[in-house]
Amino acid sequence: MAPRKILMLHGYAQSATILQKRMGAVRKACKGVELVFVDAPHILSPADIAESFNTAEELGASEASDADPALAPRAWWRTDAQRTKTIGVEASFEMMRDILSKDHYDGVFGFSQGACFAAWLAALSYLELIRSPRPKLERPETFPSFLIDGKSPHPPFAFCVAVAGFKPSSPLSNSIFLDGYSTPTLHVIGRNDVIVVEERAKTLLAVSINMRVEYHDGGAATFEMCPGMIVSALMQLLGHFVPSKANWRAFFRDYLLKAPAEDVPSPSLSTGSQPASGTSTPVTVNT
């Protein structure tokens, strides 16, 4: 039986390589799952990162470097100072259209800005499933560059995972999420995340109709960059990362193998000497 294939989307100022290495422990645990990490099309300048009001370290991209193309800081879109625009996102949709048209992915997994983009892709593909007996997007004039001959390049994803996600503020984002989206989505929120705080994370929950929410406390994650090397202790304090304690590794493995099945125990229910860093909590969303 072929392994499940998951599309992996990195965060702002990261790259496919950076996220892949930061998730090294999770990747090793996910036997039977193929994780396909993809680079966003936009390479960021130091000025771009400065305009985000965060440093590369705070954004989870302390390894970013112009000297190594694999570590060049990237983004799915740039934004303005008011964070009301998604500048250049059309290029990301066009790139993703070509990727999705060539292969099949069971699900999509995104971190931070990549989680937003993952939710967009899930929403676009699911609209096709529920709105028409003949597959087509509900509002193709809003995102024509994503289509091939007027149709979505990929069937609906079975599930979406959004770690530290949020709903971007832009006309395009509002159009895609106009009626919410129903793709089964696992939202992972850091209680101590100072980059995507809980209030901001709930903006994505507000448009997610079929959701599961898990919390992690942060403060004890490690990121594997090369054998025997642990980096970015600052991120442990900021809470902005993909959790990778033993209980979370087991949870992600089981969820990615079974999703969207609902019988995967919460990481907060893990037993053993290591305390759990996640909690499945009912969420109240103001709409």
Side-chain angles (χ1 to χ4, degrees):
M1 181 176 180
R4 300 192 92 181
K5 184 174 290 188
I6 316 299
L7 187 65
M8 306 292 291
L9 309 181
H10 62 78
Y12 184 83
Q14 290 187 330
S15 68
T17 297
I18 290 174
L19 182 61
Q20 182 181 40
K21 291 183 176 180
R22 282 177 174 262
M23 291 185 63
V26 174
R27 288 190 295 110
K28 290 179 180 178
C30 291
K31 306 297 184 182
V33 180
E34 182 181 355
L35 306 180
V36 182
F37 294 80
V38 178
D39 274 326
H42 301 291
I43 296 179
L44 300 174
S45 68
D48 290 325
I49 297 175
E51 288 178 1
S52 72
F53 310 110
N54 300 107
T55 65
E57 289 77 12
E58 291 170 332
L59 293 166
S62 59
E63 310 83 12
S65 170
D66 294 332
D68 184 346
L71 301 178
R74 294 176 175 270
W76 300 101
W77 70 85
R78 296 179 175 89
T79 190
D80 58 335
Q82 291 73 36
R83 298 187 180 183
T84 58
K85 298 179 180 179
T86 48
I87 304 168
V89 73
E90 294 80 8
S92 295
F93 276 119
E94 291 171 4
M95 185 194 80
M96 198 57 61
R97 173 200 63 201
D98 296 339
I99 290 173
L100 293 175
S101 67
K102 297 175 182 176
D103 209 341
H104 176 80
Y105 297 89
D106 297 280
V108 58
F109 182 120
F111 169 67
S112 197
Q113 192 190 67
C116 310
F117 199 73
W120 277 344
L121 292 176
L124 292 181
S125 65
Y126 204 84
L127 280 174
E128 173 180 313
L129 176 69
I130 65 177
R131 299 298 185 185
S132 174
R134 297 193 63 182
K136 65 178 182 179
L137 296 175
E138 183 183 15
R139 294 178 293 276
E141 70 280 0
T142 307
F143 25 78
S145 60
F146 185 64
L147 307 180
I148 297 177
D149 296 328
K151 298 180 181 179
S152 174
H154 192 276
F157 294 111
F159 65 92
C160 172
V161 179
V163 180
F166 57 92
K167 178 182 175 292
S169 297
S170 74
L172 175 62
S173 181
N174 293 338
S175 177
I176 293 174
F177 289 140
L178 181 62
D179 300 317
Y181 76 103
S182 298
T183 301
T185 300
L186 168 66
H187 299 270
V188 179
I189 300 174
R191 293 189 185 278
N192 300 313
D193 193 332
V194 300
I195 304 300
V196 179
V197 298
E198 185 174 354
E199 181 180 3
R200 191 181 184 198
K202 284 185 175 181
T203 60
L204 186 57
L205 303 188
V207 297
S208 181
I209 297 170
N210 187 1
M211 65 178 173
R212 173 175 180 174
V213 183
E214 297 284 348
Y215 284 82
H216 72 87
D217 292 327
T222 59
F223 306 102
E224 181 179 331
M225 292 305 299
C226 62
M229 181 179 179
I230 297 176
V231 299
S232 200
L234 175 62
M235 292 308 300
Q236 300 174 27
L237 301 177
L238 296 176
H240 191 62
F241 55 82
V242 179
S244 60
K245 283 184 178 180
N247 55 320
W248 276 95
R249 296 196 299 270
F251 173 72
F252 280 133
R253 177 200 62 214
D254 294 343
Y255 186 87
L256 295 180
L257 283 170
K258 299 179 180 179
E262 299 179 357
D263 61 344
V264 179
S266 168
S268 65
L269 301 179
S270 300
T271 58
S273 60
Q274 186 179 41
S277 67
T279 305
S280 182
T281 306
V283 175
T284 300
V285 178
N286 295 321
T287 58

